[in-house]
Amino acid sequence: MTEQTQRPAPQGGDPQETVPVPSSLPAGASPSTVSYKDRRKVRAVLRWTAVAAVFCLVGAGTAYGISRMERTDLPGLATASDGRWDYPELVRPPLPPGSPGPLEAGNRAGTHYADLRALVLPAPRGATVEPGPRGTDGWLPVKDFLADYATGEKRRELAQKLTDHGLRHIAGRGWTTPDGTRTRIRLLRFGTAAVSETLLAGDLANTGAPAYPVRGAEYYALDETFPPGARMKGVTLFPYTEAEPYGAEQVRQAYFAAGDTIAVITQTREGGVDAVPFRQTVALQTELLG
């Protein structure tokens, strides 16, 4: 049990004040030999020890709370968005029993046995989707596809090439995201992979620029910085960016062939099209067709 000695208060203080002196004293000391200054030091040490203990408990509780939070829950450590759009989970339509995929070795014609209309990339969450194709059974009319291109002469020339190469169907979808980016995807299906590859590399695209510019863009540059990881083996891809100086809007466009189908992806936006969602869109559409 702790023994305490009552000592008179120093002169000038309250005559009734007494100060407890702890029984734990330096070796050889007695309560009568402990000065008032020594007692104040002891009390200060005890007081700061108690404060330190409280801070330790609070700090430990805070550290535990932070350790239980996700990184994105902490305002100072939240991961900033890299600009990607929030696409729904991609689901490929089922193939008929025994049918190979378009890029499988046993499918020499590169045929897409799944419904091409079900292979068009869905719009990201939050986007405003354009009305569906006005054609028969959801197929896009050729004239609607050609309407995206610049001049009447170029449109007629492109239409003839599509006819000469045996165009079968065009599937498509378009949308506008809240940042003002307009996206149009067109999937053109031909008889075989050999036909689509020949048309793509021989008449539609090359390493310099697309052969048929869309409305609002005349000068392009091949996007040399397109990430290799966003490309798929067996798919011929030509990604383009409208070269500066451009007008109020910028255009990004990609042409690629996957099996018997050529995909044309066009994005436009006032002030410039962001590279990240463009590349994301191309990569996801490639995945669906591949």
Side-chain angles (χ1 to χ4, degrees):
M1 185 173 182
T2 303
E3 180 182 343
Q4 296 184 343
T5 303
Q6 303 295 326
R7 298 282 294 179
Q11 287 186 341
D14 186 346
Q16 301 301 319
E17 179 184 359
T18 59
V19 180
V21 179
S23 60
S24 177
L25 301 173
S30 66
S32 61
T33 61
V34 178
S35 68
Y36 179 72
K37 184 181 293 186
D38 292 333
R39 291 197 299 274
R40 293 188 64 180
K41 291 181 179 179
V42 171
R43 284 190 298 176
V45 170
L46 292 175
R47 184 166 56 250
W48 284 108
T49 300
V51 172
V54 171
F55 272 102
C56 287
L57 290 174
V58 173
T62 302
Y64 175 78
I66 290 177
S67 69
R68 301 291 296 173
M69 297 175 71
E70 297 294 336
R71 179 178 179 87
T72 52
D73 293 334
L74 304 177
L77 297 178
T79 304
S81 171
D82 62 0
R84 285 179 292 180
W85 289 342
D86 184 15
Y87 279 102
E89 183 178 357
L90 302 185
V91 179
R92 290 190 182 94
L95 293 173
S99 299
L103 302 183
E104 291 185 22
N107 190 350
R108 298 186 62 181
T111 303
H112 281 89
Y113 288 100
D115 189 332
L116 194 64
R117 291 165 293 187
L119 292 175
V120 183
L121 185 68
R125 295 181 177 89
T128 301
V129 181
E130 294 179 357
R134 296 188 295 265
T136 305
D137 297 329
W139 296 110
L140 188 75
V142 175
K143 63 180 180 61
D144 288 1
F145 169 72
L146 295 173
D148 292 338
Y149 289 85
T151 66
E153 181 182 351
K154 286 290 186 181
R155 292 175 193 172
R156 288 189 293 273
E157 183 180 314
L158 178 56
Q160 188 59 53
K161 288 185 181 297
L162 297 179
T163 300
D164 293 344
H165 287 81
L167 174 66
R168 294 186 173 183
H169 295 294
I170 303 177
R173 179 171 289 123
W175 64 79
T176 302
T177 48
D179 68 349
T181 302
R182 295 188 301 278
T183 300
R184 284 187 172 178
I185 297 177
R186 309 299 190 224
L187 306 183
L188 294 77
R189 186 177 179 186
F190 298 88
T192 65
V195 173
S196 65
E197 288 278 357
T198 299
L199 177 62
L200 176 68
D203 296 290
L204 298 183
N206 53 57
T207 57
Y212 300 94
V214 296
R215 289 180 297 168
E218 294 184 11
Y219 304 103
Y220 297 83
L222 192 66
D223 186 358
E224 302 284 359
T225 63
F226 198 92
R231 297 174 179 266
M232 179 178 288
K233 184 178 180 181
V235 174
T236 303
L237 170 65
F238 294 91
Y240 300 103
T241 302
E242 185 180 3
E244 296 183 352
Y246 47 82
E249 293 185 332
Q250 185 190 30
V251 175
R252 286 184 185 265
Q253 196 172 35
Y255 288 78
F256 67 85
D260 62 0
T261 299
I262 293 175
V264 182
I265 299 176
T266 307
Q267 287 188 348
T268 60
R269 179 173 177 260
E270 185 176 351
V273 179
D274 292 336
V276 170
F278 171 72
R279 293 167 179 173
Q280 178 194 15
T281 302
V282 173
L284 292 178
Q285 183 60 76
T286 305
E287 182 180 338
L288 277 175
L289 285 177

